[in-house]
Amino acid sequence: MIRGIYAVVVLDLKRAWLDRARLLTGLAQPLLYLFVLGAGIGGSSRMGGPAYQRGIFPGVMGLSLLFTAVFMAISIVFDRQIGFFKAVLVSPLPRAAIALGKITSGAAQAFIQGLILLPFAPLVGIHLGIVNTAEMLAAMVLASMTFSAIGVAVASQFTSTTVFPIVSNTIILPMYFLSGALYPLAMAPHVMQVAAHFDPVAYAVDLMRGALLGTYFFPPLLSFAVLVGLITLLSWLGVRVFSRGEDDSVLGATGFRWRR
Amino acid sequence: MPTVAMPDASAPAVAVRGLVKHYGAVQALKGIDLTVKCGEIFGLLGPNGAGKTTLFSILATLRTPTAGTACVFGRDVTIERDAVRRSMGIVFQEPAIEQRLTGRDNLLLMGLFYQLPAARARKRAAELLDHLGLTEAADRPARTLSGGQRRKLELARALVTDPSILFLDEATLGLDVDARRVFWGEVRAIAAAGRTVFFTTHYMEEAEIADRIALIDSGQIVALDTPRALKARVGGGVIRLQTEGDDQARAWLIERGLKPEAGGPGLMLVHDDPAAILPDLLRHLPVKVLRAEVHEPSLEDVFLKLTGRGLEMEGAAAPVRGPGRGRP
């Protein structure tokens, strides 16, 4: 099983390496949030630009991880249209390894994207010491896994890539905005604070904010437990969905479906 | 190429018993029985939509039968799926290589998916690429290769795991005649090394390389024998005529005690000595003959005689079409 997951991850990373330019273009969005939106909103608030930028850095990291992971998960839909996948399907590789491999490779790619963003932290006044960097990296791993698991769970429900904007606008963006990534949850209206308790992105962002800035909204142990629990649950779901695709009646290169 | 150890020497390579597959109300397979011996080249020949791909997909563990059983080297394709998967290499109709990666990378990835030790996969990939004349092309992205090279790469991909049986599904679709000849030359070499080969095709001249052929039509095997024996069923030789009035000509032939085959475009007449009766026919037929042809019986003739339909001709598509075939 582990070797199967490894095989899927190697395949995905080899493919991603061909698109390595995306690592740089993927940096554009978070930097815009940080240095344009952040400077603008911060400058016009009582907080002041630098303090606001510092405050949203973990949230912008969340943005980068979330969108990279979800975008990678969408590749599952593409995969069904790629012939190579058929060769994978007739290999002795367990379906569960495909699901878990997809989650792992999405997380790995998100994490790498995050690593490229992290060195910008000192520019907004965040000191990167050994301890808080280690904490941050751990939080990023957890966040990447969570977002990738969410992405795979969502993507495995769809057979067409055209749904990505819809998924993004109806599921991912609300989760992101509600998470407190771009504002302190502690100062948000009570309703939003309550709602944030049901938003996995909020826990992930909060862990990263705590690691870098030292202030937590949720108890860190709770966040940790919620994220690990969610990763487990969604992985289990993913394995189930992928395993259901065993007898597939529409196996053409154009219309492969996991589900009957 | 190294010879292959058989997983179970006593069991046939493929054993299919009473295989039925329904897609909703559509009966794609209506009870298939066939046995492929170890080391045999076995061809499944039939028109598009006859059920070839459905049968193939079941053997390839990609679909489950509605009823009946299918075993590969004595292992049931639904119950012992992983063992079956490990024993076979498959070339699909559609490309199954990652076009953006190099040929070599594709082979190594396959090795990874089959959990081959890395060193062995590398060695095996290099051997295969060399053997298939792809060494030079192996380190370019697969999409830059020619059609024939890409098909050979598919063959290498299927063989990198050292399978005991090779499954080919319309593997030469879209290749020109030369590339097809090269491809089948390789397949023959693979079989000579002791592997079993099971292939589907709707090109009759490709089927000729098989040791035995099953003709399939509308989800049923209509004949199963060696190419020579199948052609012997047709008898001496075949006359094909195109006339200005086929129906009238047919009636006239029947009147004369001859037996033109039913169906098919034009007229087909099987006779012990076709060359001897042709001049007489041409002289006396009451309609103008546009074209006359005498030839040794081909598999096409066998198929036409057995089913009343051609293999490759227009309109040959059978009424039963399995989903997943011929979709846009």
Side-chain angles (χ1 to χ4, degrees):
Chain A
M1 174 66 85
I2 297 294
R3 297 187 61 181
I5 296 172
Y6 172 71
V8 175
V9 173
V10 170
L11 169 64
D12 272 2
L13 292 187
K14 263 184 189 290
R15 282 202 298 222
W17 181 244
L18 297 172
D19 293 326
R20 52 193 177 275
R22 201 188 280 152
L23 287 173
L24 287 181
T25 54
L27 205 51
Q29 199 190 13
L31 292 186
L32 273 174
Y33 269 75
L34 201 56
F35 293 108
V36 179
L37 188 78
I41 291 183
S44 58
S45 76
R46 270 181 302 149
M47 251 172 144
Y52 180 70
Q53 284 170 299
R54 188 170 173 270
I56 65 167
F57 183 84
V60 171
M61 177 62 83
L63 173 91
S64 183
L65 299 180
L66 181 62
F67 277 81
T68 310
V70 171
F71 185 79
M72 289 309 146
I74 296 296
S75 78
I76 289 172
V77 182
F78 279 115
D79 271 350
R80 294 175 199 150
Q81 297 160 8
I82 296 174
F84 189 80
F85 212 61
K86 230 171 145 172
V88 174
L89 287 180
V90 294
S91 75
L93 194 73
R95 293 294 186 266
I98 301 179
L100 298 178
K102 281 285 163 193
I103 293 174
T104 313
S105 80
Q109 292 173 70
F111 183 75
I112 291 166
Q113 183 76 67
L115 279 186
I116 294 175
L117 182 63
L118 192 57
F120 287 87
L123 292 185
V124 293
I126 296 172
H127 172 70
L128 289 179
I130 293 173
V131 176
N132 70 348
T133 303
E135 278 175 15
M136 178 61 178
L137 291 178
M140 279 165 62
V141 168
L142 213 50
S144 301
M145 286 297 283
T146 308
F147 298 160
S148 184
I150 293 172
V152 169
V154 172
S156 60
Q157 303 297 314
F158 295 98
T159 52
S160 155
T161 48
T162 53
V163 297
F164 180 58
I166 304 169
V167 171
S168 164
N169 287 334
T170 57
I171 303 176
I172 306 300
L173 266 189
M175 285 205 307
Y176 182 68
F177 284 141
L178 193 59
S179 71
L182 300 176
Y183 52 86
L185 264 184
M187 287 158 75
H190 183 66
V191 181
M192 278 168 68
Q193 287 189 10
V194 172
H197 280 82
F198 299 96
D199 180 2
V201 181
Y203 293 96
V205 167
D206 194 57
L207 264 188
M208 292 193 285
R209 180 168 290 148
L212 284 183
L213 307 177
T215 49
Y216 292 96
F217 178 75
F218 301 109
L221 268 179
L222 173 68
S223 301
F224 181 80
V226 167
L227 297 185
V228 170
L230 195 66
I231 293 167
T232 313
L233 177 73
L234 291 176
S235 301
W236 176 76
L237 268 178
V239 167
R240 274 195 34 160
V241 169
F242 275 63
S243 302
R244 237 182 300 168
E246 282 283 12
D247 174 40
D248 209 291
S249 298
V250 194
L251 203 94
T254 48
F256 184 77
R257 290 166 56 89
W258 285 109
R259 315 174 72 206
R260 268 177 287 172
Chain B
M1 234 175 268
T3 48
V4 190
M6 294 298 163
D8 180 353
S10 60
V14 177
V16 173
R17 297 285 169 265
L19 203 65
V20 174
K21 178 70 180 178
H22 296 176
Y23 298 109
V26 181
Q27 296 199 323
L29 298 177
K30 300 171 187 164
I32 301 276
D33 291 283
L34 60 83
T35 304
V36 178
K37 290 176 258 180
C38 286
E40 195 173 28
I41 304 184
F42 190 93
L44 185 64
L45 179 67
N48 285 330
K52 290 194 302 289
T53 295
T54 299
L55 177 53
F56 186 89
S57 304
I58 291 172
L59 291 176
T61 72
L62 286 170
R63 288 178 194 167
T64 47
T66 309
T69 58
C71 294
V72 175
F73 295 115
R75 290 175 175 135
D76 191 287
V77 294
T78 47
I79 299 166
E80 296 166 273
R81 195 176 348 230
D82 284 353
V84 171
R85 282 178 177 163
R86 246 182 290 271
S87 68
M88 61 188 185
I90 304 182
V91 177
F92 297 99
Q93 283 177 50
E94 307 92 11
I97 39 186
E98 171 65 56
Q99 304 291 335
R100 298 167 63 215
L101 295 177
T102 68
R104 197 183 303 275
D105 270 350
N106 269 286
L107 301 192
L108 295 181
L109 277 168
M110 243 22 237
L112 215 49
F113 283 116
Y114 281 77
Q115 317 204 335
L116 302 184
R120 212 177 105 208
R122 241 192 310 277
K123 183 162 165 279
R124 181 104 183 103
E127 274 171 15
L128 279 167
L129 290 167
D130 179 52
H131 182 82
L132 294 168
L134 290 173
T135 303
E136 237 171 283
D139 296 305
R140 283 191 280 142
R143 64 162 184 276
T144 63
L145 306 187
S146 73
Q149 284 178 317
R150 256 182 277 173
R151 282 280 105 179
K152 283 204 273 180
L153 187 57
E154 297 276 356
L155 207 51
R157 188 207 24 82
L159 291 172
V160 77
T161 58
D162 216 355
S164 309
I165 183 165
L166 182 64
F167 282 94
L168 310 168
D169 188 19
E170 308 262 354
T172 56
L173 211 68
L175 283 192
D176 61 41
V177 179
D178 280 343
R180 267 201 260 166
R181 191 172 306 134
V182 171
F183 184 87
W184 287 110
E186 298 298 347
V187 171
R188 222 173 303 191
I190 290 158
R195 267 175 254 263
T196 309
V197 177
F198 181 102
F199 70 92
T200 75
T201 183
H202 66 277
Y203 297 121
M204 54 169 177
E205 71 278 8
E206 287 191 350
E208 301 266 354
I209 82 149
D211 296 321
R212 287 191 307 146
I213 297 171
L215 295 180
I216 185 169
D217 185 49
S218 304
Q220 281 170 314
I221 304 283
V222 291
L224 198 165
D225 219 324
T226 63
R228 187 193 293 259
L230 283 174
K231 285 187 279 191
R233 292 193 192 188
V234 172
V238 176
I239 298 175
R240 282 181 189 263
L241 297 174
Q242 263 176 45
T243 67
E244 281 187 335
D246 284 349
D247 290 339
Q248 199 186 339
R250 189 187 303 274
W252 184 84
L253 288 170
I254 292 170
E255 226 168 82
R256 289 296 199 84
L258 295 165
K259 295 192 191 73
E261 301 298 329
L267 288 168
M268 171 182 164
L269 186 65
V270 177
H271 196 274
D272 289 340
D273 194 358
I277 64 162
L278 185 64
D280 201 42
L281 287 183
L282 294 179
R283 204 172 310 129
H284 297 295
L285 261 176
V287 291
K288 192 175 172 196
V289 178
L290 302 172
R291 199 182 146 77
E293 207 181 297
V294 175
H295 58 81
E296 299 272 289
S298 68
L299 290 171
E300 173 94 36
D301 299 321
V302 179
F303 195 83
L304 194 65
K305 188 174 160 71
L306 289 170
T307 67
R309 269 198 312 261
L311 279 168
E312 294 179 58
M313 282 166 252
E314 268 177 78
V320 176
R321 291 181 67 88
R325 282 297 325 245
R327 290 274 174 98

